[in-house]
Amino acid sequence: MERISDAEAAVMMVLWDHNPATAQDVADRVPAKRAWSANTVRTLLARLVAKKVVAHEADGRRYLYRPLIARGDYVAGESQRLIDRFFGGRLTPLVAHLAERDSLGADEIAEIQALLKDLKP
């Protein structure tokens, strides 16, 4: 899959939650801090269609857009790229890094411990 920019990811977040959707629907749901017009959203949608991660179909004079990739698949791919790029493909150094920077709270540590316990054979 071709990489998706941060702006394109904002559009995808809307489509994963609300689809099919028109460009105006997406523009209305993108976080207000972006202040994007419908034309900006149309440009981003056209890029996503070209990257084959979004499909569109005519609905009268407008298009309806829907994602072609699942959010979970996208997140898994991006997570793996991060781990590969910065941590040599290993998850343990990432968790250690987060723990060393005090980025993990007590609740998160408990959740990780529970996950690890469930993974043990």
Side-chain angles (χ1 to χ4, degrees):
M1 177 183 69
E2 196 170 338
R3 295 290 312 259
I4 296 173
S5 71
D6 288 342
E8 293 163 346
V11 170
M12 291 300 294
M13 294 295 185
V14 172
L15 288 176
W16 282 318
D17 291 336
H18 307 281
N19 71 83
T22 66
Q24 187 62 56
D25 294 335
V26 174
D28 291 344
R29 288 186 166 100
V30 169
K33 68 179 181 181
R34 298 222 182 236
W36 288 342
S37 69
N39 284 336
T40 299
V41 171
R42 282 186 194 91
T43 299
L44 293 167
L45 285 164
R47 290 179 190 168
L48 290 165
V49 168
K51 291 179 179 183
K52 296 183 171 63
V53 295
V54 167
H56 68 292
E57 61 186 75
D59 181 43
R61 293 177 42 142
R62 62 187 186 169
Y63 284 105
L64 294 176
Y65 297 88
R66 64 181 172 77
L68 291 176
I69 59 169
R71 182 190 318 240
D73 293 339
Y74 175 72
V75 169
E78 287 297 301
S79 299
Q80 191 60 53
R81 274 192 271 282
L82 172 78
I83 293 166
D84 289 345
R85 184 173 177 192
F86 294 108
F87 302 99
R90 298 183 56 237
L91 184 58
T92 306
L94 169 61
V95 174
H97 170 75
L98 293 172
E100 289 168 2
R101 295 191 44 98
D102 295 326
S103 297
L104 298 176
D107 290 344
E108 292 171 312
I109 291 170
E111 286 180 48
I112 291 170
Q113 287 172 329
L115 287 170
L116 291 174
K117 183 179 178 186
D118 290 344
L119 289 175
K120 285 185 180 178

